[in-house]
Amino acid sequence: MIGLISSVAGPLLKGLFDIVDQAVEDKDQAAQIKSVLQQKVLDGQMKEIEAAANIIVAEAQGESWLQRNWRPLLMCLFGVIVANNYVLVPIFGTAAAEIPDDMWDLLKIGIGGYVVGRSVEKGVRVWKGPA
């Protein structure tokens, strides 16, 4: 998730920085504007990461078995597909499953979100102390 957000934010910041360089002649003022822009983008990213982590924590604490486990089950399924394509296919010469680019993106988001969510959940548990 963080990588996906960074892949969007990087080109956005570069484009904004190029516009600032063209529009602002004073280099010190341009550097100050760039610093403010970068901070605004990073603040927005952190809000998105926190929101995603809150969703995952809520899912992990849900009442339904399916609500708590759909994301780990999906990640296990992706693991089986990757193991098939990169372990079993080379060994046995069987047909590989086609993995579209969107699935790789979903896998990165899912793993990133799961890691962030679990980290936040454990951090909250430590912060609250023993029950």
Side-chain angles (χ1 to χ4, degrees), residues 1-7 9 41-57 109 112-121:
M1 175 171 204
I2 294 171
L4 183 64
I5 293 172
S6 296
S7 69
V41 170
L42 291 176
D43 288 346
Q45 287 180 359
M46 288 308 299
K47 288 177 185 174
E48 288 182 35
I49 292 168
E50 289 171 4
N54 289 339
I55 290 169
I56 293 170
V57 169
I109 291 169
Y114 184 74
V115 168
V116 169
R118 294 295 292 169
S119 298
V120 169
E121 182 183 7

Side-chain angles (χ1 to χ4, degrees), residues 7-30:
S7 69
V8 171
L12 172 69
L13 274 176
K14 184 183 178 326
L16 289 173
F17 287 177
D18 289 345
I19 292 169
V20 169
D21 285 337
Q22 292 172 2
V24 180
E25 292 180 16
D26 181 2
K27 297 298 180 192
D28 292 334
Q29 187 179 14

Side-chain angles (χ1 to χ4, degrees), residues 2-116:
I2 294 171
L4 183 64
I5 293 172
S6 296
S7 69
V8 171
L12 172 69
L13 274 176
K14 184 183 178 326
L16 289 173
F17 287 177
D18 289 345
I19 292 169
V20 169
D21 285 337
Q22 292 172 2
V24 180
E25 292 180 16
D26 181 2
K27 297 298 180 192
D28 292 334
Q29 187 179 14
Q32 185 178 8
I33 292 170
K34 289 179 188 180
S35 175
V36 170
L37 285 172
Q38 185 173 15
Q39 190 58 46
K40 295 291 184 186
V41 170
L42 291 176
D43 288 346
Q45 287 180 359
M46 288 308 299
K47 288 177 185 174
E48 288 182 35
I49 292 168
E50 289 171 4
N54 289 339
I55 290 169
I56 293 170
V57 169
E59 286 175 355
Q61 295 172 345
E63 294 180 24
S64 162
W65 181 88
L66 186 58
Q67 180 185 8
R68 290 188 311 270
N69 293 297
W70 77 269
R71 190 178 307 267
L73 289 171
L74 184 62
M75 293 301 108
C76 287
L77 175 63
F78 286 161
V80 168
I81 293 170
V82 170
N84 173 67
N85 282 9
Y86 297 103
V87 176
L88 298 178
V89 168
I91 292 172
F92 298 109
T94 58
E98 184 177 329
I99 303 176
D101 290 338
D102 292 343
M103 186 179 131
W104 284 115
D105 291 340
L106 184 59
L107 180 61
K108 288 188 265 185
I109 291 169
I111 290 175
Y114 184 74
V115 168
V116 169

